[in-house]
């Protein structure tokens, strides 16, 4: 061990070994992995080693696919056997809803380029796995590249391959303390002190403590997990092939062959956390005692699915812990305020995801950005609110127990809620508000009578009529929306204007005006779709999505210039928007003097009894105002606005209505039409770029794109011949049986009474009138490219 390395990885499980391998492979030879005990000594040694393709987040599914492709390569590179059994795998559905969902998931896979899957009948499933009882099975999805690995062999393969690329590994050496230095970190270990520019927390079961060493409280907790290995099963002795890795979604189990027996793993509803503050340092290779009473229900289902198990004994029980984040996806990336500290934690399927995590993190460390859109596993998707232990326990427990339970797009899960509430929450709840949660904050979805219950569904929700009424209130009179669920940053200081010009690709608004502002990465991809307000040239606001707060703050900090203050007002400032032809009338009744804000104008004014900041902005395509007030004014402002609009039929609305209204205007939103995986030219965001500016972050790459042949795909609006179900996102789009794009978002346009989708399609097909098809909940539907903004294409209503 030398005294200085460019990067030090803490933890020799599958994740740390993969990070080390990728760093070294991408050219950083001066890298070290430090392991407290011996390689694999955390949860890696006792994992079931299963690799299967499904993940609810398509970007994570794509990274899993990368890992699966990588596994044979590291075996070859290292010369170390990983015991890869690519048996193929099946995911089985036992209810009509689940079967529908699986068919949709299959189409999503096609969209993201995973093309070795197919749907199978129960009979086929029975043939592929002769020990399977197909009772109650309606269908399944077959994936060619699924199976299992030898876990210890795999960790050693990553480690050996890393060493071949020049990396070093030190075992039996615990990291005791971390100290931030002027250019990195001092790593104090049992065997001495190491200086490094970058330190990577890949400490698995100990991630919490290694986070705390740097003053970081990670939202992660271990949970116990059981699998059994059976004695030899005579039926398996008789066949000359291995049965596939099989996931029984209704049974909460996964199964793979283990020699001539099987390994059966269980995700039980009655879950159990283990060492929420992280494993003890002296924890060795022990396992927990099996607790068959707690998992009895799921065990019975497993034995019914594989009846041969009833006739043989259990050879081994494993009850061991591994770590989970609140949404089950890894916590990866840099931590704001801790330059050079990187997370590779909460990887709950390290053998499946470890390759993708290692690749993305190594790219991030070396190049400044990962190649893929990895927001779904970015540690910055959680803020301080997620440090609370009860929140962590409730959400990680919920994820664990629902590991094989589908969540419908219109389903709201209860764990860790309600946590953050805008002040008018109780009044709005009494008015029938139904809530969703974003970054811990409750946001209104729609309003309905007390007795109404929404049914989770992939099809149009039974809340459809309530949303329709809210949309028509906006189009015909005026709707009131709680807009607390946005982030607001105040930018002040002598350098504010120069910094905004540097970080935003757009022109800056004049005093008293607001402007849409794309933010780009150095590679010229999108980094934000923000709104800038210039209140008076000395105070500016950046407004964006609430759940991207920490993500944006980290970006701002990484691109900071002198004499700039960024103050996050997101929990201090809340507000309401008014939208609809009568919105001016309502606001004029309670402001002091005439309302003469131009479209995209903004100003400070008295609204009722409150002093508020008002912007004339519209996401619905109607005349509209956003009224921002202090949190203490929220309840009063709502009352004043409702009272002022009572005789005009003002109606409270939620974000479900907003999503329908904006779709009729072809207004894109973040995480659908705009992501860090797409470019301005692909998405039409380039029209907001100010090409006259000397330079701004991403200007070089964006101009290269502008001056090239143009993007290969473009964002379009589609009118869909749908029936009872609308597109939601990632559905594949076809032209003459060739996949030519995918849906970014979709839904029903209640004013136009049509189903719409926005989609990225091959450029040559992005022409008005092109006929395409799109798969929606398993059915192929006709879809036609139409001109943007089917509602009010000239924007007359919005501009007034
Ligand atoms: C019963 C069971 C079945 C599973 N089945 C599967 C499966 O089928 N497929 C799958 O993909 N995953 C499975 N998993 C999950 C898998 O085990 C984990 O995702 C994976 O092991 C996580 O790896 P890791 O490297 O993040 O953490 P760990 O394996 O916990 O490694 C962390 C390492 O860091 C070291 N360390 C910690 N602190 C320090 C320190 N201060 N100094 C130096 N070293 C330190 C530890 O000693 C340890 O070796 C299963 C887990 C269990 C428990």
């Amino acid at each position: 061990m030398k005294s200085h390395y460019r990067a030090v990885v803490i933890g020799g499980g599958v994740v740390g070994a993969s990070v080390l391998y990728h760093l070294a492979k991408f050219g950083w030879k001066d890298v070290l992995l430090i392991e407290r005990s011996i390689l694999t000594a955390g949860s890696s040694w006792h994992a079931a080693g299963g690799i299967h393709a499904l993940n609810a987040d398509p970007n994570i599914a794509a990274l899993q696919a990368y890992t699966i492709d990588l596994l044979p390569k590291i075996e070859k590179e290292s010369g170390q056997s990983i015991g890869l059994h690519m048996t193929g795998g099946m995911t089985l559905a036992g209810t009509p809803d689940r079967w529908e969902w699986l068919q949709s998931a299959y189409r999503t896979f096609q969209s993201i380029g995973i093309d070795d899957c197919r749907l199978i009948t129960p009979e086929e499933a029975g043939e592929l796995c002769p020990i399977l009882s197909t009772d109650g099975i309606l269908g399944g999805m077959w994936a060619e590249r699924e199976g299992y690995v030898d876990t210890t062999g795999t960790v050693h393969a990553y480690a050996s391959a890393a060493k071949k690329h020049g990396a070093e590994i030190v075992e039996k050496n615990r990291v005791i303390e971390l100290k931030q230095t002027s250019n990195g970190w001092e790593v104090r270990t049992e065997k001495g002190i190491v200086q490094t520019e970058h330190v990577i927390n890949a400490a698995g079961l100990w991630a919490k403590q290694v986070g705390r060493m740097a003053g970081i409280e990670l939202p992660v907790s271990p949970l116990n997990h059981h699998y059994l290995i059976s004695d030899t099963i005579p039926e398996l002795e008789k066949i000359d092939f291995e049965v596939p890795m099989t996931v029984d979604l209704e049974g909460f189990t996964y199964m793979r062959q283990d020699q001539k027996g099987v390994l059966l793993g269980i995700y039980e509803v009655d879950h159990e956390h283990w060492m929420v503050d992280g494993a003890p340092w002296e924890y060795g290779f022990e396992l927990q005692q099996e607790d068959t009473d707690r998992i009895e229900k799921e065990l019975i289902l497993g034995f019914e699915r594989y009846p041969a198990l009833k006739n043989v004994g259990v050879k081994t029980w494993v009850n061991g812990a591994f770590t989970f984040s609140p949404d089950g996806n890894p916590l990866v990336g840099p931590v704001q305020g801790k330059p050079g500290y990187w997370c590779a934690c909460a990887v709950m399927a390290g053998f499946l995801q470890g390759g993708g995590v290692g690749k993305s993190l190594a790219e991030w460390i070396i190049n400044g950005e990962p190649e893929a859109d990895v927001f779904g596993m970015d540690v910055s998707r959680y803020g301080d609110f997620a440090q609370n232990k009860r929140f962590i326990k409730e959400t990680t427990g919920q994820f664990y127990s629902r590991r094989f339970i589908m969540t419908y797009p219109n389903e709201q899960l209860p764990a860790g809620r309600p946590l953050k509430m805008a002040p008018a929450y109780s009044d709005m709840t009494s008015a029938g508000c139904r809530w969703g949660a974003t970054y811990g904050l409750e946001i209104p979805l729609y309003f309905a009578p007390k007795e109404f219950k929404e049914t989770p569904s992939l099809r149009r929700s039974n809340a459809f009529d309530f949303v329709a009424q809210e949309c028509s209130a906006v189009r015909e009179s005026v709707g009131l929306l709680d807009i607390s669920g946005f982030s607001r940053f105040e930018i002040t200081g002598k350098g504010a204007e120069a910094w905004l010009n540097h970080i935003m690709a757009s022109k800056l608004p004049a005093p008293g005006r607001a402007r849409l502002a794309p933010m780009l990465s150095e590679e010229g991809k999108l980094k934000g779709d923000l709104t800038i307000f210039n209140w008076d040239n000395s105070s500016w606001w950046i407004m964006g999505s609430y759940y991207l707060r920490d993500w944006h703050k980290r970006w701002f900090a990484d691109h900071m210039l002198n004499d700039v203050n960024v103050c996050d007002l997101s929990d201090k400032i809340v507000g309401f928007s008014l939208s609809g032809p009568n919105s001016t009338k309502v606001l004029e009744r309670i402001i002091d003097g005439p309302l003469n804000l131009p479209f995209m104008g903004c100003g400070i004014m008295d609204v009722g009894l409150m002093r508020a900041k008002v912007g004339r902005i519209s996401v619905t395509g109607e005349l509209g105002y956003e009224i921002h007030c202090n949190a203490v004014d929220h309840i009063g402002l709502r009352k004043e606005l409702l009272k002022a609009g009572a005789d005009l039929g003002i109606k409270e609305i939620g974000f479900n209505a907003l999503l329908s209204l904006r779709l009729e205007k072809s207004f894109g939103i973040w995480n659908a039409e705009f992501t860090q995986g797409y470019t301005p030219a692909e998405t039409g965001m380039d029209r907001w770029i100010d090409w006259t500016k000397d330079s701004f972050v991403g200007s070089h790459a964006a101009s290269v794109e502008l001056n090239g042949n143009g993007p290969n795909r473009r964002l379009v609006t589609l009118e869909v011949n749908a029936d009872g179900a609308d597109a939601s996102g990632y559905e594949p789009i076809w032209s003459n049986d060739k996949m030519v794009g995918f849906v970014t978002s979709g839904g029903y346009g209640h004013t136009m009474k049509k189903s719409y989708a926005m989609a990225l399609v091959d450029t040559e097909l992005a022409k008005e009138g092109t006929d395409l098809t799109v798969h929606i909940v398993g059915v192929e539907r006709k879809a036609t490219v139409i001109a943007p903004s089917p509602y009010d294409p000239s924007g007359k209503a919005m501009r007034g």
Side-chain angles (χ1 to χ4, degrees):
M1 193 167 81
K2 297 183 298 181
S3 59
H4 182 276
Y5 291 86
R6 201 154 185 203
V8 170
V9 180
I10 305 174
V14 65
V15 175
S18 167
V19 173
L20 186 77
Y21 164 74
H22 282 94
L23 281 171
K25 188 180 168 188
F26 295 162
W28 280 23
K29 310 292 172 202
D30 187 21
V31 289
L32 169 74
L33 183 148
I34 304 178
E35 166 53 46
R36 173 192 65 102
S37 168
I38 56 169
L39 293 176
T40 78
S43 42
S44 294
W45 72 272
H46 57 259
I51 43 176
H52 40 108
L54 267 184
N55 190 294
D57 180 332
N59 290 308
I60 306 281
L63 286 171
Q64 293 180 174
Y66 166 81
T67 309
I68 297 173
D69 286 343
L70 176 70
L71 286 168
K73 293 182 193 155
I74 57 147
E75 181 170 55
K76 209 164 153 212
E77 244 182 86
S78 64
Q80 158 75 51
S81 166
I82 63 164
L84 177 63
H85 292 240
M86 206 63 105
T87 58
M90 310 191 283
T91 306
L92 303 173
T95 65
D97 287 350
R98 182 85 70 154
W99 177 218
E100 247 182 9
W101 175 76
L102 210 50
Q103 292 173 69
S104 298
Y106 161 62
R107 296 300 178 182
T108 304
F109 272 29
Q110 286 184 318
S111 282
I112 59 172
I114 301 178
D115 52 9
D116 57 356
C117 298
R118 66 190 162 88
L119 296 172
I120 53 171
T121 62
E123 293 71 37
E124 272 180 278
E127 281 159 26
L128 288 160
C129 182
I131 57 164
L132 174 83
S133 157
T134 57
D135 275 4
I137 297 294
L138 298 178
M141 184 171 80
W142 170 266
E144 208 59 51
R145 287 172 308 154
E146 295 196 352
Y148 63 95
V149 290
D150 162 31
T151 55
T152 301
T154 302
V155 177
H156 281 277
Y158 276 120
S160 304
K163 283 204 256 184
K164 282 194 172 169
H165 285 292
E168 282 178 49
I169 294 176
V170 177
E171 293 179 280
K172 297 198 177 3
N173 185 24
R174 179 157 72 87
V175 171
I176 301 162
E177 203 183 344
L178 292 174
K179 272 197 185 149
Q180 206 163 352
T181 60
S182 56
N183 57 351
W185 292 85
E186 183 175 288
V187 184
R188 292 179 165 260
T189 79
E190 288 171 335
K191 292 184 179 168
I193 293 174
V194 179
Q195 307 290 338
T196 184
E197 290 153 49
H198 302 272
V199 65
I200 296 116
N201 176 355
L205 293 174
W206 296 264
K208 195 92 171 179
Q209 295 98 309
V210 175
R212 285 177 181 156
M213 286 180 193
I216 298 159
E217 199 63 37
L218 289 167
V220 59
S221 173
L223 277 109
N224 278 329
H225 179 66
H226 284 84
Y227 64 77
L228 64 84
I229 297 177
S230 77
D231 284 334
T232 295
I233 295 176
E235 288 87 337
L236 290 180
E237 280 189 305
K238 285 187 209 136
I239 56 174
D240 60 358
F241 62 93
E242 266 197 296
V243 295
M245 172 91 195
T246 303
V247 175
D248 175 14
L249 294 171
E250 264 71 41
F252 306 90
T253 62
Y254 59 91
M255 184 281 298
R256 67 157 173 90
Q257 192 159 330
D258 192 89
Q259 295 176 3
K260 287 293 174 185
V262 299
L263 180 156
L264 184 78
I266 295 128
Y267 279 95
E268 67 280 9
V269 173
D270 184 12
H271 58 257
E272 185 179 72
H273 284 85
W274 180 81
M275 304 285 171
V276 181
D277 284 314
W281 290 119
E282 60 284 3
Y283 184 65
F285 282 78
E286 312 86 71
L287 289 168
Q288 279 73 264
Q289 179 67 40
E290 69 268 21
D291 182 357
T292 49
D293 286 349
R294 191 164 54 75
I295 62 170
E296 187 186 7
K297 244 181 19 216
E298 293 81 8
L299 210 49
I300 291 170
L301 290 174
F303 276 53
E304 280 169 2
R305 185 58 68 214
Y306 308 102
L309 280 174
K310 294 176 187 165
N311 306 321
V312 298
V314 172
K315 189 163 70 183
T316 316
W317 271 109
V318 169
N319 179 14
F322 60 125
T323 50
F324 291 82
S325 73
D327 64 7
N329 280 332
L331 299 171
V332 179
V335 178
Q336 200 223 318
K338 308 281 172 190
Y341 187 99
W342 303 82
C343 291
C345 310
V347 187
M348 67 106 186
F351 293 89
L352 175 63
Q353 300 172 330
V357 167
K359 172 183 184 277
S360 300
L361 192 61
E363 289 169 347
W364 216 332
I365 295 171
I366 295 171
N367 307 328
E369 283 284 298
E371 189 193 356
D373 174 9
V374 296
F375 183 77
M377 63 179 187
D378 192 325
V379 63
S380 73
R381 72 190 186 280
Y382 291 104
D384 293 352
F385 72 93
Q387 295 178 359
N388 177 283
K389 226 183 256 186
R390 191 176 124 199
F391 177 86
I392 294 170
K393 279 187 81 172
E394 282 186 21
T395 50
T396 53
Q398 174 176 270
F399 176 83
Y400 180 95
S401 292
R402 294 180 59 90
R403 173 82 171 95
F404 291 148
I405 298 178
M406 66 183 273
T407 302
Y408 291 90
N410 67 334
E411 191 172 8
Q412 293 300 317
L413 301 181
R417 295 179 57 195
L419 172 59
K420 294 193 262 178
M421 288 156 281
Y425 174 85
S426 296
D427 288 354
M428 289 169 68
T429 304
S430 303
C433 187
R434 303 303 152 90
W435 300 93
T438 177
Y439 198 77
L441 177 74
E442 297 293 317
I443 54 160
L445 299 180
Y446 62 92
F447 289 74
K450 297 235 161 355
E451 61 286 358
F452 173 74
K453 267 204 159 33
E454 186 169 10
T455 313
S457 174
L458 289 175
R459 299 171 173 277
R460 283 181 197 148
S461 154
N462 57 334
F464 186 84
D465 289 343
F466 302 119
V467 176
Q469 286 159 21
E470 291 175 17
C471 290
S472 83
V474 170
R475 293 277 185 246
E476 284 156 30
S477 181
V478 55
L480 180 74
L481 175 72
D482 170 18
I483 53 163
S484 305
F486 287 93
S487 65
R488 295 159 177 94
F489 300 99
E490 185 180 41
I491 317 299
T492 53
K494 274 205 309 249
E497 187 171 344
W499 178 68
L500 284 166
N501 255 321
H502 166 68
I503 200 162
M504 300 293 170
S506 70
K507 217 182 234 135
L508 295 187
R513 303 298 287 234
R515 184 178 273 275
L516 291 179
M519 197 161 67
L520 307 185
S521 69
E522 279 84 357
E523 288 73 34
K525 292 196 176 162
L526 295 174
K527 217 46 196 178
D529 61 335
L530 301 149
T531 308
I532 304 179
F533 294 81
N534 181 350
W535 299 110
D536 57 6
N537 255 356
S538 63
S539 161
W540 307 72
W541 271 17
I542 299 175
M543 195 168 158
S545 302
Y546 188 82
Y547 71 97
L548 300 174
R549 262 168 80 183
D550 273 47
W551 189 66
H552 279 146
K553 273 196 277 188
R554 191 178 66 198
W555 185 258
F556 296 158
D558 288 349
H559 296 81
M560 201 28 82
L561 299 178
N562 287 336
D563 298 324
V564 185
N565 302 314
V566 177
C567 179
D568 183 357
L569 304 173
S570 311
D571 287 329
K572 251 168 79 182
I573 303 289
V574 293
F576 286 94
S577 74
L578 284 174
S579 314
N582 282 327
S583 49
T584 304
K585 221 182 257 177
V586 173
L587 199 51
E588 267 180 342
R589 288 176 178 178
I590 52 170
I591 60 165
D592 179 29
L595 182 54
N596 48 17
L597 277 184
F599 180 60
M600 298 304 280
C602 65
I604 299 170
M605 55 185 84
D606 290 340
V607 180
L609 277 173
M610 294 91 199
R611 192 94 178 120
K613 285 194 153 109
V614 180
R616 198 182 135 192
I617 285 175
S618 168
V619 185
T620 61
E622 297 296 335
L623 185 67
Y625 300 89
E626 289 178 349
I627 306 152
H628 310 275
C629 63
N630 291 321
V632 284
D633 296 336
H634 196 230
I635 296 174
L637 180 63
R638 175 176 171 274
K639 283 189 178 150
E640 296 247 21
L641 290 167
L642 284 176
K643 196 167 151 209
D647 62 322
L648 297 167
I650 191 168
K651 191 166 175 59
E652 283 196 274
I653 69 165
F655 278 88
N656 289 7
L658 190 75
L659 287 178
S660 164
L661 295 161
R662 68 92 200 174
L663 199 58
E664 292 178 329
K665 288 294 298 169
S666 303
F667 289 158
I669 52 170
W670 195 261
N671 211 25
E673 285 68 44
F674 312 131
T675 76
Q676 56 182 336
Y678 309 155
T679 66
E682 286 173 339
T683 54
M685 279 293 245
D686 53 343
R687 69 180 181 279
W688 304 109
I689 294 180
D690 178 11
W691 296 108
T692 66
K693 284 208 272 192
D694 275 353
S695 78
F696 51 87
V697 177
S699 55
H700 176 68
S703 64
V704 168
E705 189 186 30
L706 177 80
N707 298 324
N709 296 328
N712 295 330
R713 56 185 185 179
R714 288 204 184 259
L715 189 65
V716 293
T717 304
L718 299 171
E719 188 181 309
V720 185
N721 191 7
D723 182 17
D726 304 299
S728 58
Y730 284 109
E731 291 88 349
I733 292 174
W734 308 90
S735 171
N736 299 323
D737 294 333
K738 184 176 167 246
M739 209 184 81
V740 294
F742 62 92
V743 169
T744 51
S745 71
Y748 190 76
H750 287 277
T751 317
M752 307 303 289
K753 308 220 177 312
K754 283 183 178 154
S755 182
Y756 295 110
M758 293 181 79
L760 278 167
V761 299
D762 292 352
T763 299
E764 65 272 21
L765 296 170
K767 291 184 206 90
E768 234 178 281
T770 306
D771 283 329
L772 302 166
T773 60
V774 55
H775 267 96
I776 300 177
V777 197
V779 183
E780 198 166 352
R781 304 277 179 193
K782 191 170 169 264
T784 309
V785 178
I786 58 168
S789 187
Y791 173 77
D792 186 23
S794 68
K796 217 169 111 199
M798 186 167 75
R799 286 163 208 278

